[in-house]
Amino acid sequence: MQLPRNVIAGPGALESVGPICRSMRLKGRALIVTGRNTKGIAGDAVAESLSKNGYDADFLIVESATMENVEKAKRAARDTNAEFLLGVGGGKAIDIAKLASSQLDMYFISVPTAASHDGIASSRASIIQGGKSVSNQAEAPLCVIADTGIIMKSPYRLLAAGCGDIISNYTAVLDWRLAARLRNVYISEYSVALSEMTARMVLDYAHDIKPGLEESVRLVVKALISSSVAMSIAGSSAPASGSEHKFAHMLDQIAPKPALHGEQCGVGTIMMMYLHGGDWQRIRDALKTIGAPTTAKDLGIEDKYIVEALIKAHTIRPERYTILGDKDLPHEAAVNIARTTKVIE
Ligand SMILES: NC(=O)C1=CN([C@@H]2O[C@H](COP(=O)(O)OP(=O)(O)OC[C@H]3O[C@@H](n4cnc5c(N)ncnc54)[C@H](O)[C@@H]3O)[C@@H](O)[C@H]2O)C=CC1
Ligand SMILES: O=C(CO)COP(=O)(O)O
Ligand SMILES: [Zn+2]
């Protein structure tokens, strides 16, 4: 089980990046893997904090979470003689830096600029390989430094997406239990308990998650970290990624303009909860209350892609058995799932 050694979350946390690296006795140059926008939002401030504490740093700008970009990050780290990496930005920059540093045997520090995903502190990296999303084992970050002041200023849409990524733990756990019964896969009850508790916190406090509220940011950031930890305890993403994630990853593959990861996972959770015979209306109501998408229209994705993603979702991570089974869904069944749950009209 691998967990971060230090987790700092609070307003102004970015200033502690340099001092934390000192306290962790890190040596040498740093490579900051970040996005085009997030460099200005946080990357430059991270470099400044490092510099004040005697560290030189180089930047690598990345956009998509592909294996090519992981290789690019590894090359950049070698070319600049970096000795540790920081991922500064959304889930994609963090996953690229996380996997590159694991493969290079280097320390990694996670600096999220948005509360949009639960990969902040996990030991997993979701990377597109051969056109498909693959969940890779990686090392958990040495430290997580989440500046809630910066996250507070990020678009509310990102925070609402993070809630969708957390609420998806409900169906992920149902799928995991199903796979344990049908396929005899290992299940960690500690991980299940943490994963479900985290999702329940967001569901129960949905009314308190609103734009412009510091408390909302704090609640969601803590939930994302504990969901990450549930994955690290399990040693897999099973407690936080099941059929609803397969659906979301398939949409990323086929929709001309996919929505945010967490938004797609939230909509997937409504439909997969219906398939599991659970209270899908409660999931839908909570997402609505938070202001997260609940329909194809909200996602900005045409109905036909929702149906196609449902039919083919089982082909993502075929080794992870879920309620979607291991065959294409009949077209009519997929339409029925999406219509009954009001995802499509
Ligand atoms: N490794 C793991 O355990 C997990 C990995 N993931 C992966 O993470 C990715 C999804 O993460 P996202 O953050 O949704 O995607 P992302 O990294 O593409 O970020 C979404 C957008 O938010 C912008 N952004 C970030 N911070 C901002 C700020 N402060 N102000 C304005 N804009 C800002 C980014 O520039 C980007 O345009 C997917 O690839 C998903 O598979 C998701 C959950 C868990
Ligand atoms: O997105 C995730 C959990 O929220 C990561 O898991 P996968 O990459 O296995 O889907
Ligand atoms: Zn996710």
Side-chain angles (χ1 to χ4, degrees):
M1 203 184 289
Q2 250 200 7
L3 303 168
R5 221 162 98 186
N6 251 306
V7 177
I8 299 180
L14 275 197
E15 285 169 26
S16 50
V17 170
I20 285 288
C21 292
R22 279 267 154 257
S23 76
M24 292 282 128
R25 301 185 189 89
L26 294 179
K27 299 209 168 35
R29 293 181 77 88
L31 177 69
I32 301 172
V33 179
T34 187
R36 214 174 294 130
N37 294 330
T38 46
K39 178 177 182 288
I41 291 168
D44 294 331
V46 165
E48 200 181 312
S49 174
L50 286 169
S51 165
K52 277 189 194 156
N53 287 274
Y55 296 101
D56 290 324
D58 298 283
F59 284 101
L60 176 72
I61 309 290
V62 291
E63 292 302 329
S64 49
T66 57
M67 207 35 118
E68 289 74 32
N69 278 337
V70 171
E71 289 304 325
K72 215 172 172 181
K74 283 162 66 182
R75 264 197 314 276
R78 284 193 206 101
D79 293 349
T80 59
N81 294 319
E83 300 207 25
F84 61 100
L85 274 72
L86 299 100
V88 180
K92 292 177 185 162
I94 288 176
D95 275 354
I96 293 166
K98 196 191 283 176
L99 190 58
S101 57
S102 299
Q103 294 186 351
L104 290 168
D105 245 339
M106 287 179 187
Y107 282 126
F108 162 64
I109 296 176
S110 167
V111 186
T113 56
S116 49
H117 64 99
D118 60 7
I120 290 175
S122 74
S123 54
R124 310 295 302 177
S126 310
I127 302 290
I128 310 282
Q129 286 166 252
K132 273 193 174 356
S133 171
V134 176
S135 185
N136 294 270
Q137 183 62 34
E139 294 212 357
L142 180 65
C143 308
V144 179
I145 301 173
D147 192 323
T148 51
I150 285 184
I151 295 171
M152 176 85 195
K153 283 193 231 139
S154 71
Y156 180 73
R157 181 183 169 199
L158 294 169
L159 188 92
C163 295
D165 208 17
I166 296 164
I167 284 176
S168 75
N169 290 8
Y170 275 119
T171 44
V173 165
L174 289 174
D175 285 319
W176 201 9
R177 289 205 184 284
L178 181 70
R181 290 193 295 269
L182 274 179
R183 297 288 155 102
N184 204 35
V185 302
Y186 162 81
I187 191 161
S188 155
E189 290 299 338
Y190 280 105
S191 171
V192 163
L194 184 57
S195 168
E196 287 183 327
M197 185 272 282
T198 308
R200 198 164 53 244
M201 292 280 293
V202 170
L203 210 70
D204 289 351
Y205 289 91
H207 282 99
D208 296 323
I209 301 173
K210 297 187 179 106
L213 261 191
E214 231 259 293
E215 290 80 0
S216 309
V217 171
R218 238 181 300 144
L219 184 131
V220 178
V221 166
K222 281 189 198 164
L224 292 169
I225 291 169
S226 75
S227 193
S228 281
V229 168
M231 286 189 257
S232 296
I233 290 175
S236 88
S237 60
S241 170
S243 48
E244 74 302 314
H245 267 68
K246 288 182 180 236
F247 164 78
H249 292 309
M250 186 44 89
L251 265 187
D252 279 339
Q253 240 173 265
I254 62 173
K257 201 166 170 286
L260 290 169
H261 170 81
E263 294 178 328
Q264 297 182 164
C265 291
V267 171
T269 306
I270 300 172
M271 295 188 286
M272 301 311 146
M273 190 54 100
Y274 162 72
L275 282 182
H276 276 289
D279 190 353
W280 59 268
Q281 289 95 337
R282 190 161 178 236
I283 303 286
R284 185 169 176 262
D285 291 348
L287 290 170
K288 269 194 169 172
T289 302
I290 291 164
T294 59
T295 65
K297 207 164 161 203
D298 294 345
L299 290 174
I301 294 176
E302 276 182 68
D303 292 359
K304 66 177 181 188
Y305 296 112
I306 301 287
V307 172
E308 199 184 328
L310 279 170
I311 293 171
K312 293 277 177 205
H314 73 93
T315 61
I316 303 272
R317 324 264 155 84
E319 70 285 358
R320 179 162 296 166
Y321 192 78
T322 72
I323 194 77
L324 290 167
D326 50 14
K327 288 193 180 66
D328 283 11
L329 300 192
H331 187 267
E332 276 317 305
V335 169
N336 188 39
I337 295 162
R339 282 220 179 110
T340 307
T341 53
K342 301 185 173 32
V343 170
I344 66 170
E345 284 170 10

